[in-house]
Amino acid sequence: MSPREVESGPPPGEVTRLLHAWRGGGEAARERLIEHVYAELKKIAGAHLRGERRGQTLEATGLVHEAFLRLVPQTRVDWRDRAHFFGLASTCMRRVLVDRARARAAAKRDPEGYVLTGAPFGARSSPEELLDLDRALERLATEHPRLAQVVEMRFFAGLEVAEIAECLALSERTVKRDWAFARAWLLRELEKGV
Amino acid sequence: MTGESLRDLFARAEELEGVEREELLRAVGRRDPDLARELEELLAAGARADSLLERSPYDLETIADPVSLPVEIGPYRILREIGRGGMGTVYLAAQRGEGFERLVAIKRLDRRGASPTSERRFRDEVKFLAALEHPGIARFLDGGRAADGSAYLALEYVEGSDLLAHARQQRLSIDQRLRLFLEVLAAVEYAHARKIVHRDLKPGNVLVGADGRPKLLDFGISKLIDPDAGDSSDAATTRTELRALTPAYASPEQIRGGPVTVASDVYSLGVVLYELLAGVRPFQSASGDARELERAVLEQEPEPPSTAARRALTEPSAPRGGPEGGVANASDAPDAPNAPNAAIRLGRDLDAICLKALRKEPRERYASVALLAEDLRRLLAGLPVLARRGGLTYRLLKLARRHSVHVAVAAAAALLATLFVLLAVRTSGSGPVARDARPAPPRPRPTLSRIGELSARFAENPGQPEIGLELIATLLAAGRGDDAMGAVVRLRQLPGELGKGPRIDLAEAEAALAVSEYQRAASAAGMAREGALRTQDATLARRAQVAQARALLRLSTPEEANRRMAELFTAAEAAGDEWAAVAALVVRAVAARKGAQAEEAERLVAEALPRARALGEKRLEIETLTLRSRLEGESGAVDQGLATLEVALALAREEGDVASEASALLMKMALLNWGGDDEAAVEVGKLAVHRLRLSGDREQLLTVLANTAIQRTERAQFAEAEAAIAEAEPIARSLGSPRHRGAILRTRGYLEEQRGDRPAARASYAAAVAVGREAAVDSVLAIYLNDLAWLELYDDNFDAAAIAAEEAVELYRRGGDERGALEAEPVLACVDAARGRVARARKRLAALTKGADESDSESARFVVLIAEARVAEIFGELPRAVVLRRRLVEIAVGFELPGLVMNQRSQLALALDRAGERSEATAIAKELLPQAERLGLGDVIRECREILDHAGTLPAPRTAL
């Protein structure tokens, strides 16, 4: 990571401040947070993928965790900040991945052979799969918003059940049930092939 | 029906099996058939959904056979892989502690099965490394074994670009590169002091962070990876280490599998420095074959980096700035800093420094990283570098060596370089201080009568600061910085508002520039500018800016001065302030030269010169001409430079401006020296010193005087030496730094010793030691102690000699200065002999002789030989003593220093006398005595008289050196 990229991040302490503002009910703070976290995640994922590592699975948990450690000064960690951050980061992670998939899908359709500047994730699976999932999740969110959140956290941010429970202030048992139901719901939705 | 109840039902049904589940479905169906159908669908989907969303979305995205990432290593949670190398894999991980969490780098080592011994060594080493704490070294946090038994290391996670990439991206100038590199050296030095050798220094192991500070990675790690590596007892395993190394940066001994020491790091640093400066590495393998590269490292002599930089520039493969080449800024070239200028600036000293670090033989390299750093600092300060003048400058650096060690020093050449440094900023600090922006009428010549007249008027009319300001302007125009400063002080003492205000601030700034007080100049200029802006005197503000930029040239970077003057130039052009515009151009030219941008400097000089001429500003014109001559000289056109200088000198004389004249004279010395005309350079030097006395630059003057005193003492010209010291002493006191005072004390002690005034010499050396302790610089203190030790030994004060010598040896060794130690340790051999420890004395002497032969240092050999002779005398091996003394005389004759030769001949005479060869002894004494009396060599006179007095009786067993 070049020094310039490091410098362009939010000033230290900014993310903590926004987290507190958001917890106090500030929706504007949430938007600003998403901006920062989205930018950071994109940067980390991009830097990582540019590194041309072969033979290694990229772990969502690692990315989100890294973003957290980079954005939130670690001198006095408030574990509530952490939970909120992880919850929000999963939304951002979803955006990062969906954006990439969208770009890849567009590139595939473009007869000119549009080439992405930031190396795409790879060519193994169709980006459409991820886009379908994204759309199904949208619909799930309209009917069961909390379930969509659990899926985001588990799937896009790789959070453990315990961590999700912590973020959403639920029992682990509830999270497990939500997860099972959401998967069934999504599979049915995807099979409908809308 | 709400979603919750569907979810509850789903959860309940999921826990049921077969019949029970069907019963539940039927029960729901009875109440709500739609709900039951949906529930059934979901349950069916749920049964097939086990694999859904189990793969991470990145699996969809990565090319790859997924290799599992460890979840945890020790107490660290792995986030992702960030690197992979010969030594293992590096992960980014999170460390979670009580109330904190941070990013760390984890290295998992591919390490061979560990025996209990190596396991213990691993643990010891880990503890050792964890103690390394330096801002320039990535912290070593922890080391241990993961659950699978593999060893891991936890290190501070550092973000940044590697050294070369950083220099390239930020387009650092040579000076900036050197300063950055010095920071790297400081970190390595720190670790070496703790006996930790890096063993794998390369640009990739030096990361420069967002704050521009470098951090070293992997200190001492390579030893952990292969704990046997570098153990000279086991060459087979050392060889294996190379696989983990980067051959391009490995030293010959590492490739050969020899012992790895501090010198290996010095070598690798040499490669890094070379690449940082020249943009290419000293050795390349065209085919990329590792064996070929290794052979080159072992056998080829690297070409000087300046040559390599020039070649890289002309070779078609190297990208150039632009198609024309002419205006194109070659700093666009990938690695080389401002390449064409670099080729020029890299010459001479930097070549010598790089090549010394890159010697094949470890002992021929810098003995320590500290010495390499010192040489680079000397280079940056414009002082003669050790590498370039080898043993000679080495001694000059330390001012005088012992008389018996003195070698004819090309003192004038070294001295030149010393003086040369200040040239660029030296001259005109002053514009027309008390003038307004209107074109200045021709200034009256600053004749002595004019100065005297103003001085008298100022004294008579203390209430008129105008007169004081005019006096200062006149003094500065005459180059009389000290006197100008005195007048500033008097102005400041005026009551009330009279002694204040921006014009007086500016006068102070310009006077301070003239006497090298840059900090003071910068702050006074800053105040002048603020005050001028308050009173809306834009012209004055611009003048203050020029003074400020001149101070910044010394205090900050040339880039900063250049930036400010570029802005000033625009403003001055807009305001029609021609003086400020020209001054800005001149300062920019100076800054460009300092920043190694010769072409830019030439362009600015060409622009400034006609404008300075048209304006009638002689001082700026002289400064510009002097700068041009320097640029010409540096590009190899020495004769042209000398011709340019004659114009500058004529102008300076016409103006009566001694400061400008002194600068031009120093430049002339330098050019004559470059052109090989040393005699003429020395003559010009005398004149320059004269002018310096008038201009008031004390630091410069002190250096010249001290060097003169040593030169004169060496040639037994004691009166001249005494005069130089007498002039230097008050200057050293007023400069106040222990280093300055110590240097002069030592110079005086040397003179006294040579004259034979031993009590005085002892007092001076002891005072130098005290000042050296105050300075708290080991390398300097060691030199002073060494002086004292030899003096005490000569006087048979063995205890005092031993105490001083032991401390000197320890300090030299601690600083990695083996050569210094070689010059102090012979004292201890003599002390051993005198105390009757025969075997120990012999053993020590044998080791010293070997060390001196290997060191390739003439002075070390000479000193060890003296000790041998002395020990032979103590043991009563008289014929052997005579043989050794004869050899010493021969060597001394080769040094062409009369004082040294006579000292050695007198020692030979004493030895002959003792050995019973009295006729030869008497003959020598008879011949020596009148010469010694004429020159005032006290010791020689005493010794000769002694021989002649008891001719015919057995002489007292004097064993003087």
Side-chain angles (χ1 to χ4, degrees):
Chain A
M1 200 146 302
S2 85
R4 216 159 286 154
E5 280 172 312
V6 176
E7 276 160 23
S8 67
E14 169 79 356
V15 169
T16 317
R17 195 184 62 73
L18 290 171
L19 278 168
H20 292 174
W22 175 35
R23 248 162 52 197
E27 268 312 293
R30 183 172 182 273
E31 286 311 305
R32 296 278 301 138
L33 267 177
I34 287 186
E35 250 172 63
H36 286 319
V37 178
Y38 176 82
E40 188 67 28
L41 284 171
K42 205 170 146 187
K43 196 166 75 187
I44 302 172
H48 180 77
L49 290 158
R50 266 198 309 278
E52 287 140 23
R53 310 245 171 281
R54 281 168 298 111
Q56 188 222 332
T57 308
L58 190 54
E59 291 292 336
T61 341
L63 283 184
V64 173
H65 207 137
E66 186 179 343
F68 173 65
L69 292 179
R70 278 177 195 277
L71 289 174
V72 180
Q74 298 296 313
T75 41
R76 282 192 325 263
V77 172
D78 180 335
W79 298 112
R80 280 173 306 173
D81 286 348
R82 196 173 189 279
H84 274 76
F85 183 95
F86 277 69
L88 185 94
S90 61
T91 310
C92 298
M93 205 62 236
R94 176 176 162 195
R95 279 194 203 174
V96 169
L97 290 169
V98 168
D99 286 355
R100 278 182 179 275
R102 207 165 275 143
R104 278 177 56 214
K108 271 167 87 177
R109 282 191 297 274
D110 186 348
E112 302 279 304
Y114 171 71
V115 180
L116 278 178
T117 43
F121 277 9
R124 193 167 156 201
S125 75
S126 70
E128 285 80 6
E129 248 178 78
L130 193 67
L131 294 176
D132 287 345
L133 174 69
D134 183 55
R135 280 188 287 270
L137 260 176
E138 285 296 325
R139 289 192 293 276
L140 177 63
T142 58
E143 282 185 42
H144 311 286
R146 193 182 78 204
L147 296 195
Q149 244 181 318
V150 169
V151 172
E152 259 181 4
M153 290 182 181
R154 179 82 198 256
F155 182 63
F156 288 105
L159 298 192
E160 300 295 328
V161 169
E163 287 169 317
I164 299 171
E166 193 182 324
C167 286
L168 297 176
L170 299 171
S171 72
E172 288 191 27
R173 186 159 167 268
T174 309
V175 173
K176 277 186 196 148
R177 285 177 169 191
D178 283 357
W179 175 242
F181 183 82
R183 278 211 298 196
W185 194 97
L186 284 170
L187 185 63
R188 190 185 55 149
E189 197 70 13
L190 288 169
E191 283 173 351
K192 278 187 201 161
V194 181
Chain B
M1 192 58 58
T2 64
E4 265 75 19
S5 59
L6 175 62
R7 258 191 281 177
D8 291 343
L9 287 169
F10 179 84
R12 190 136 59 85
E14 277 244 287
E15 282 163 13
L16 302 174
E17 305 246 333
V19 187
E20 287 176 15
R21 188 188 275 194
E22 277 167 27
E23 263 172 31
L24 176 67
L25 276 169
R26 270 200 298 277
V28 175
R30 279 196 290 275
R31 278 180 301 162
D32 183 340
D34 285 351
L35 181 63
R37 197 171 48 253
E38 196 174 2
L39 182 59
E40 199 171 357
E41 274 175 33
L42 284 172
L43 284 168
R48 282 174 285 121
D50 270 357
S51 62
L52 181 71
L53 305 185
E54 278 302 304
R55 266 199 316 168
S56 127
Y58 309 93
D59 283 0
L60 305 175
E61 297 284 355
T62 39
I63 325 172
D65 312 314
V67 166
S68 69
L69 199 64
V71 177
E72 276 176 353
I73 291 183
Y76 305 96
R77 178 165 177 181
I78 299 304
L79 302 177
R80 60 180 164 96
E81 183 182 312
I82 49 179
R84 198 178 275 257
M87 51 173 73
T89 311
V90 190
Y91 301 102
L92 182 67
Q95 180 191 14
R96 196 162 171 176
E98 262 179 56
F100 79 98
E101 194 172 2
R102 65 177 167 186
L103 291 173
V104 297
I106 299 289
K107 255 176 212 285
R108 184 152 68 165
L109 307 179
D110 300 337
R111 198 152 160 272
R112 289 163 297 157
S115 67
T117 334
S118 72
E119 186 63 25
R120 200 177 326 117
R121 279 169 69 181
F122 177 75
R123 299 240 163 253
D124 288 349
E125 203 69 30
V126 160
K127 249 186 260 163
F128 210 44
L129 290 178
L132 271 188
E133 221 170 313
H134 188 275
I137 298 176
R139 289 257 354 235
F140 183 92
L141 303 169
D142 184 17
R145 295 221 166 266
D148 67 356
S150 64
Y152 72 85
L153 306 170
L155 307 151
E156 178 188 353
Y157 174 59
V158 181
E159 249 174 345
S161 320
D162 86 44
L163 187 66
L164 295 177
H166 174 80
R168 192 166 54 229
Q169 284 156 10
Q170 304 290 322
R171 299 196 172 184
L172 300 185
S173 68
I174 298 253
D175 273 21
Q176 288 171 318
R177 281 167 200 241
L178 291 178
R179 285 180 209 288
L180 187 65
F181 189 70
L182 276 170
E183 287 189 53
V184 174
L185 293 185
V188 179
E189 209 182 313
Y190 167 88
H192 281 182
R194 278 147 196 81
K195 307 242 183 292
I196 299 177
V197 178
H198 192 295
R199 306 148 73 101
D200 191 17
L201 285 163
K202 55 185 175 185
N205 272 339
V206 182
L207 292 190
V208 186
D211 58 357
R213 315 302 297 271
K215 240 187 221 287
L216 283 162
L217 307 184
D218 290 358
F219 230 107
I221 302 290
S222 65
K223 190 166 185 194
L224 281 180
I225 285 143
D226 190 348
D228 299 323
D231 226 335
S232 51
S233 60
D234 191 350
T237 54
T238 31
R239 195 65 188 76
T240 63
E241 183 197 22
L242 195 59
R243 263 179 268 138
L245 285 176
T246 321
Y249 299 92
S251 60
E253 65 269 22
Q254 278 170 299
I255 287 175
R256 238 184 261 117
V260 176
T261 63
V262 164
S264 315
D265 276 0
V266 170
Y267 180 93
S268 301
L269 286 166
V271 181
V272 174
L273 177 62
Y274 192 111
E275 193 172 6
L276 189 62
L277 296 171
V280 291
R281 288 187 206 134
F283 302 107
Q284 321 255 2
S285 151
S287 61
D289 176 48
R291 292 207 163 276
E292 194 185 315
L293 180 63
E294 286 176 14
R295 213 165 25 244
V297 172
L298 291 176
E299 290 161 14
Q300 273 176 30
E301 285 306 318
E303 66 181 347
S306 62
T307 315
R310 221 172 282 132
R311 180 198 314 287
L313 200 71
T314 49
E315 266 171 17
S317 61
R320 292 294 312 268
E324 307 300 326
V327 213
N329 184 353
S331 63
D332 290 344
D335 279 325
N338 306 315
N341 307 318
I344 295 162
R345 246 217 91 185
L346 281 181
R348 308 181 184 94
D349 288 356
L350 269 180
D351 278 354
I353 291 175
C354 284
L355 295 180
K356 186 170 170 68
L358 289 175
R359 294 273 147 76
K360 306 282 181 221
E361 280 300 312
R363 64 166 181 271
E364 287 176 14
R365 296 174 205 146
Y366 286 98
S368 70
V369 173
L371 287 174
L372 169 60
E374 172 156 2
D375 234 5
L376 287 172
R377 271 192 293 270
R378 294 175 67 80
L379 177 101
L380 283 168
L383 296 167
V385 302
L386 312 182
R388 183 136 171 246
R389 303 186 211 233
L392 300 184
T393 320
Y394 184 67
R395 272 178 298 284
L396 195 72
L397 155 80
K398 300 174 164 191
L399 285 179
R401 267 257 160 253
R402 256 194 72 76
H403 71 279
S404 49
V405 189
H406 259 90
V407 175
V409 173
L415 181 138
L416 266 182
T418 312
L419 300 178
F420 194 46
V421 56
L422 294 174
L423 272 179
V425 257
R426 202 48 260 135
T427 52
S428 70
S430 65
V433 173
R435 260 163 239 279
D436 56 25
R438 272 171 276 120
R443 193 188 309 153
R445 295 271 159 73
T447 56
L448 285 179
S449 61
R450 175 90 184 127
I451 290 171
E453 182 205 323
L454 281 167
S455 217
R457 271 176 57 203
F458 183 44
E460 285 157 18
N461 305 285
Q464 292 184 30
E466 290 303 323
I467 301 175
L469 286 170
E470 198 179 345
L471 174 62
I472 293 168
T474 312
L475 284 168
L476 285 172
R480 306 262 297 266
D482 265 346
D483 294 334
M485 207 44 155
V488 168
V489 172
R490 289 202 334 262
L491 258 185
R492 287 284 188 213
Q493 286 164 347
L494 292 180
E497 292 303 306
L498 287 175
K500 298 192 180 113
R503 288 202 299 165
I504 296 177
D505 292 336
L506 180 57
E508 179 173 350
E510 289 177 343
L513 280 177
V515 296
S516 336
E517 292 187 27
Y518 299 105
Q519 202 70 54
R520 182 172 180 179
S523 67
M527 276 169 60
R529 190 180 172 204
E530 274 173 38
L533 291 175
R534 261 200 309 279
T535 56
Q536 309 208 317
D537 186 342
T539 313
L540 191 65
R542 283 192 287 272
R543 270 170 203 156
Q545 272 177 281
V546 172
Q548 212 172 10
R550 285 187 186 277
L552 283 177
L553 276 175
R554 290 309 295 278
L555 300 171
S556 174
T557 60
E559 287 75 15
E560 175 66 14
N562 180 44
R563 192 183 59 72
R564 292 193 184 207
M565 288 298 94
E567 278 169 22
L568 177 68
F569 180 74
T570 315
E573 290 276 87
D577 182 349
E578 182 66 6
W579 184 87
V582 177
L585 284 174
V586 175
V587 178
R588 285 189 65 197
V590 175
R593 201 215 60 79
K594 278 192 86 170
Q597 298 178 314
E599 282 173 18
E600 175 71 357
E602 276 160 25
R603 189 188 68 71
L604 288 162
V605 163
E607 193 178 343
L609 199 53
R611 289 176 71 165
R613 233 170 241 155
L615 190 62
E617 267 298 333
K618 302 290 187 218
R619 198 153 233 236
L620 289 174
E621 188 180 343
I622 301 166
E623 185 182 10
T624 315
L625 282 167
T626 308
L627 180 60
R628 170 174 278 179
S629 72
R630 179 173 189 166
L631 292 166
E632 286 164 350
E634 282 177 340
S635 69
V638 172
D639 289 341
Q640 199 183 332
L642 284 171
T644 306
L645 268 179
E646 285 313 316
V647 183
L649 279 168
L651 269 175
R653 283 187 194 120
E654 200 180 305
E655 286 292 296
D657 178 348
V658 289
S660 299
E661 191 186 351
S663 294
L665 283 171
L666 289 174
M667 190 67 242
K668 192 172 172 184
M669 284 171 78
L671 287 182
L672 285 168
N673 184 248
W674 289 354
D677 195 347
D678 290 338
E679 291 278 319
V682 169
E683 283 309 305
V684 173
K686 281 187 196 155
L687 193 55
V689 168
H690 179 254
R691 294 294 185 268
L692 268 177
R693 273 187 201 133
L694 289 174
S695 78
D697 189 320
R698 294 169 305 156
E699 193 167 6
Q700 232 174 348
L701 192 56
L702 177 68
T703 317
V704 184
L705 289 169
N707 282 302
T708 307
I710 291 159
Q711 254 181 300
R712 299 293 199 180
T713 306
E714 276 173 345
R715 285 165 179 70
Q717 299 164 339
F718 298 134
E720 290 89 342
E722 178 68 58
I725 291 174
E727 189 176 351
E729 273 170 340
I731 300 174
R733 272 197 298 277
S734 75
L735 284 171
S737 109
R739 274 191 106 137
H740 289 129
R741 279 186 288 138
I744 289 301
L745 278 168
R746 176 163 197 259
T747 310
R748 173 168 280 291
Y750 174 42
L751 168 65
E752 289 158 347
E753 189 182 3
Q754 274 289 59
R755 274 201 305 222
D757 188 352
R758 310 196 62 80
R762 175 176 297 109
S764 294
Y765 286 156
V769 167
V771 169
R773 292 198 196 283
E774 193 186 322
V777 180
D778 284 357
S779 56
V780 174
L781 181 56
I783 296 161
Y784 298 162
L785 284 163
N786 187 28
D787 287 337
L788 187 60
W790 279 99
L791 185 94
E792 299 286 15
L793 179 69
Y794 184 106
D795 292 343
D796 292 348
N797 297 328
F798 295 113
D799 290 340
I803 290 169
E806 268 163 15
E807 189 179 354
V809 169
E810 194 199 321
L811 290 172
Y812 278 129
R813 291 249 153 82
R814 198 192 295 165
D817 183 355
E818 267 309 312
R819 227 167 4 172
L822 276 175
E823 291 186 12
E825 206 178 338
V827 173
L828 296 175
C830 297
V831 171
D832 283 342
R835 286 172 176 167
R837 295 173 191 154
V838 180
R840 201 164 131 179
R842 289 203 195 285
K843 202 175 150 200
R844 210 195 275 267
L845 267 185
L848 283 168
T849 307
K850 187 162 169 282
D853 284 343
E854 284 171 1
S855 81
D856 200 27
S857 150
E858 275 173 303
S859 62
R861 270 190 220 127
F862 197 66
V863 180
V864 172
L865 203 56
I866 288 174
E868 265 187 77
R870 180 85 201 259
V871 168
E873 282 156 0
I874 293 172
F875 288 161
E877 301 167 341
L878 302 179
R880 180 170 154 76
V882 169
V883 170
L884 290 166
R885 290 289 176 197
R886 278 194 208 281
R887 204 189 304 160
L888 281 165
V889 170
E890 278 167 29
I891 298 175
V893 168
F895 291 155
E896 293 182 346
L897 290 173
L900 178 62
V901 176
M902 291 174 74
N903 261 302
Q904 291 306 321
R905 289 192 71 195
S906 133
Q907 296 297 314
L908 170 62
L910 280 174
L912 285 165
D913 199 23
R914 288 189 64 201
E917 299 180 38
R918 279 178 216 132
S919 61
E920 192 183 350
T922 315
I924 293 175
K926 272 189 184 150
E927 188 196 331
L928 277 179
L929 188 57
Q931 295 173 28
E933 280 172 341
R934 200 178 64 243
L935 291 171
L937 290 168
D939 289 338
V940 178
I941 295 168
R942 252 194 320 274
E943 284 157 5
C944 290
R945 284 196 182 136
E946 202 175 311
I947 293 168
L948 295 173
D949 279 353
H950 49 240
T953 63
L954 199 68
R958 275 223 43 179
T959 50
L961 286 173

